[in-house]
Amino acid sequence: MKALSAIDTFSAPRLFQLIKRTINLNVHNWTIGFLAIGGLIAAIWFVPIMLPSEAWHGYNTYALTPAFMFFYIAGGLYLTSGLFDELHEAGTAQLGLTLPALASEKIASAWITGYLLYSIAAFVAFSILVPVIYFITLVTVEADLTFSLYNILFDDLLSNLFGYLLYQGFFLFGAVYFRKLNFLKTIVFLIVLFILFSLGMGLYAFLASTNLVINFSSLPLFVQYGIGFMIALLMIWLAWLQLKNRQVA
Amino acid sequence: MITISNLNFAFKKKEPLFRGLNMELHPGRTYGLFGLNGAGKTTLLNHMSGMLFPETGECLLNGKPAMERQPSGLSQLFVVPEQFDLPTVKPDLYIELHAPFYPNFDLSLAGELMKMFGIDREKLLNKHSYGQRKKFLISFALAANTPVLLMDEPTNGLDIPSKSQFRKVMATSENSERCTVISTHQVRDLDTLIDRFTVLHNGVIIFDQTVQDISERLVFKKTADTTDTESIYSEEILGGKRVIAQRNPGDNDTLVDLEFLFSAVVESPDSINRAFQMEVTS
């Protein structure tokens, strides 16, 4: 076992150790989550086949994409919400807060685990699940099957990865900021933000007597992604600030 | 090592817990931090480990504010909280995940201590009893070999044989460079371990002396003479009184009764402290 250097600047070995720690402490729950979602996706495919009516998916595995993307984002946001649970429990807060690592390393490890590693694991798991579903269907049902895993990955990858990146920033902040029910509280926080933003824009349009409509989808793609990336960065920075100033109750 | 200067802190604005608290902790000493329930012992330990921030004043760990929680400071300190939960992993995996953060961690000592405490290394930590988990964390804390070790009520939840094991383990892993702070209200469990007796009361340190000095300045005795007037502090007991008196030249050593001294300090701190301000006559 190699000791880590106790330097006060950002340390990559310490970051890797934090990631290893986070994965090892959560692997049991996450495996259950992955299996449950895999089971749900399989059920979404197989249940219509077993019913007498014509299967809604037309025996094309591409039809599973929306379900997978929904579970990928929802599951990832839920997972992210739980990454700092130890800070909110009286029994674990002291051991978590006194772990010798920088707040920035703890946030970075949470982001890498909850975004990068989770996304890789989710897409790899789906890439395994779809062929399995395909072959089981091929063997058990006499039907024309269309296998389109590669379309799934390349058509929707970028927009969903970006959507998850944006929302994950908010849930990472919520994970540090809210002490209990942080998943639900972050959803409420997002709704309140959206309402306030809409009211603000409406008020501005009313006062300026203009017909102001902001349509983000009309903006060039790189501008949309740029704004989203900046918002995600802002939320990650706020999460770091919260963690740095966190005290035990 | 730890310097607390003019520390002010309150959980509620109108109820200050610490009012200008000052304290200096040095390496090689074992401090017994005593106080009534709610005196702020745990809160003080939380300030030392940077988990609470002073309102005014400062708490320095090796010259740096503890509240900055820098790795260089945190790797020199380990806290054994009174109440804690451990994750769903086996002891060896817990060590593998956490020990690298402590540069002086002694893996073989951890193994020895777990053996002494009878920790089952094949069992998940969260399946151990509270006492077993506490013994595991104490083993980890001692093996971490940090220059500062903070323990909050370490004997709470331990059965009688375990308390004895704890004292034995503490004695065998004694480190002449370590500054240990043990916060407790169970004075009798730890009186053989500590070498400095510190009492926190109403937000300030009202008594802070080494056990050696206490032994040189005070005598603890039982007397049937209820008219005794020389005592600094006394309590009625069956068949007489037990008293704390100024030690005079020629008086024999008496066993320091820290629990009794604690009562005396809380009830009449001035008279007890006065005994330490007088010149010692030989």
Side-chain angles (χ1 to χ4, degrees):
Chain A
M1 193 181 326
K2 200 179 166 198
L4 299 162
S5 164
I7 50 171
D8 291 339
T9 49
F10 199 91
S11 155
R14 216 159 43 208
L15 174 67
F16 294 138
Q17 185 68 22
L18 283 171
I19 293 170
K20 182 180 167 185
R21 176 181 181 269
T22 307
I23 292 172
N24 273 282
L25 298 187
N26 293 289
V27 69
H28 178 71
N29 291 343
W30 293 348
T31 306
I32 292 171
F34 265 76
L35 290 174
I37 289 175
L40 269 173
I41 291 174
I44 286 169
W45 175 266
F46 285 114
V47 169
I49 292 175
M50 288 186 278
L51 294 173
S53 59
E54 196 154 322
W56 64 270
H57 44 59
Y59 298 97
N60 185 341
T61 53
Y62 186 74
L64 286 174
T65 309
F68 166 67
M69 291 304 174
F70 170 78
F71 286 124
Y72 159 64
I73 292 178
L77 297 179
Y78 187 74
L79 178 148
T80 300
S81 290
L83 283 172
F84 287 100
D85 275 356
E86 72 178 352
L87 293 184
H88 310 305
E89 299 293 332
T92 50
Q94 287 176 309
L95 295 173
L97 278 176
T98 56
L99 191 69
L102 293 171
S104 54
E105 291 162 354
K106 290 175 183 173
I107 291 289
S109 86
W111 184 82
I112 290 171
T113 311
Y115 187 76
L116 286 183
L117 299 180
Y118 166 74
S119 296
I120 292 167
F123 279 87
V124 166
F126 190 60
S127 306
I128 294 168
L129 181 67
V130 172
V132 169
I133 285 175
Y134 176 80
F135 284 113
I136 292 174
T137 315
L138 208 61
V139 171
T140 55
V141 181
E142 287 178 14
D144 284 335
L145 272 177
T146 309
F147 180 77
S148 51
L149 175 65
Y150 294 103
N151 287 344
I152 293 164
L153 291 180
F154 289 107
D155 287 355
D156 301 294
L157 189 63
L158 196 62
S159 62
N160 283 289
L161 279 177
F162 174 73
Y164 179 46
L165 174 81
L166 174 61
Y167 287 112
Q168 202 237 5
F170 284 91
F171 281 79
L172 196 60
F173 168 73
V176 183
Y177 185 74
F178 298 117
R179 286 176 191 258
K180 285 208 169 117
L181 299 172
N182 40 28
F183 180 69
L184 296 175
K185 283 179 180 170
T186 309
I187 293 173
V188 173
F189 172 66
L190 276 169
I191 292 168
V192 170
L193 262 187
F194 178 75
I195 291 170
L196 287 176
F197 181 75
S198 304
L199 283 175
M201 295 312 291
L203 190 67
Y204 176 79
F206 175 74
L207 293 174
S209 302
T210 57
N211 208 1
L212 184 70
V213 177
I214 291 185
N215 187 356
F216 279 106
S217 56
S218 68
L219 295 169
L221 205 59
F222 76 91
V223 177
Q224 287 180 40
Y225 282 13
I227 292 171
F229 186 70
M230 294 308 288
I231 293 172
L233 263 186
L234 172 72
M235 296 315 295
I236 292 169
W237 178 74
L238 288 173
W240 168 77
L241 211 58
Q242 278 297 321
L243 182 61
K244 202 170 153 49
N245 293 308
R246 189 60 193 262
Q247 299 181 62
V248 291
Chain B
M1 186 146 271
I2 294 179
T3 309
I4 297 172
S5 318
N6 202 24
L7 176 70
N8 288 288
F9 180 79
F11 282 114
K12 290 178 187 169
K13 279 206 167 174
K14 288 181 180 172
E15 294 172 29
L17 189 59
F18 301 140
R19 296 166 297 152
L21 191 140
N22 294 294
M23 200 174 182
E24 191 132 346
L25 304 167
H26 300 281
R29 292 225 172 121
T30 302
Y31 293 83
L33 180 62
F34 300 90
L36 298 171
N37 289 335
K41 302 184 295 290
T42 301
T43 306
L44 187 57
L45 293 190
N46 284 338
H47 275 89
M48 291 177 189
S49 59
M51 287 183 288
L52 281 175
F53 304 164
E55 279 170 14
T56 57
E58 60 182 5
C59 179
L60 303 177
L61 173 63
N62 290 331
K64 289 182 184 171
M67 60 182 278
E68 286 180 3
R69 295 201 289 251
Q70 294 289 329
S72 60
L74 290 178
S75 63
Q76 303 295 302
L77 171 146
F78 196 88
V79 186
V80 178
E82 183 187 3
Q83 294 290 339
F84 61 89
D85 292 316
L86 290 173
T88 316
V89 293
K90 289 180 181 174
D92 288 351
L93 180 56
Y94 185 92
I95 291 171
E96 186 188 326
L97 297 175
H98 296 86
F101 291 99
Y102 299 94
N104 303 321
F105 194 89
D106 185 339
L107 199 57
S108 61
L109 178 62
E112 278 172 39
L113 294 173
M114 283 195 285
K115 199 173 169 188
M116 280 177 80
F117 273 139
I119 308 283
D120 181 355
R121 293 168 79 160
E122 291 305 312
K123 199 171 168 184
L124 293 170
L125 283 169
N126 63 327
K127 302 285 180 198
H128 283 81
S129 69
Y130 174 67
Q132 287 295 98
R133 275 183 282 147
K134 191 151 223 174
K135 286 190 267 185
F136 168 75
L137 197 64
I138 289 168
S139 304
F140 186 94
L142 293 171
N145 263 324
T146 51
V148 179
L149 175 59
L150 309 178
M151 301 176 118
D152 194 4
E153 304 285 0
T155 54
N156 260 13
L158 299 186
D159 53 25
I160 292 167
S162 299
K163 285 178 183 178
S164 162
Q165 273 177 334
F166 170 73
R167 284 189 289 266
K168 195 174 156 195
V169 161
M170 287 296 286
T172 51
S173 60
E174 194 180 310
N175 180 335
S176 60
E177 295 303 310
R178 182 188 286 149
C179 166
T180 307
V181 184
I182 302 175
S183 152
T184 188
H185 58 267
Q186 300 190 31
V187 185
R188 283 205 196 281
D189 289 345
L190 304 164
D191 56 1
T192 53
L193 290 176
I194 62 164
D195 55 27
R196 197 167 181 100
F197 185 77
T198 305
V199 180
L200 179 64
H201 191 63
N202 289 336
V204 287
I205 302 290
I206 56 168
F207 186 80
D208 183 29
Q209 298 291 340
T210 63
V211 174
Q212 170 88 24
D213 281 346
I214 294 168
S215 167
E216 284 171 7
R217 298 283 187 149
L218 302 175
V219 285
F220 299 79
K221 54 189 177 185
K222 287 177 185 166
T223 174
D225 176 11
T226 51
T227 60
D228 164 62
T229 53
E230 292 199 357
S231 64
I232 301 172
Y233 180 80
S234 65
E235 260 180 22
E236 302 284 335
I237 53 167
L238 198 63
K241 288 201 297 187
R242 56 178 181 169
V243 300
I244 298 175
Q246 179 87 40
R247 185 172 171 182
N248 294 314
D251 280 348
N252 288 329
D253 268 346
T254 56
L255 200 63
V256 177
D257 183 341
L258 291 181
E259 194 169 276
F260 186 34
L261 178 62
F262 174 71
S263 303
V265 167
V266 170
E267 287 194 25
S268 45
D270 292 342
S271 50
I272 297 289
N273 276 313
R274 215 171 294 129
F276 290 83
Q277 288 152 7
M278 290 176 185
E279 287 289 318
V280 180
T281 50
S282 52

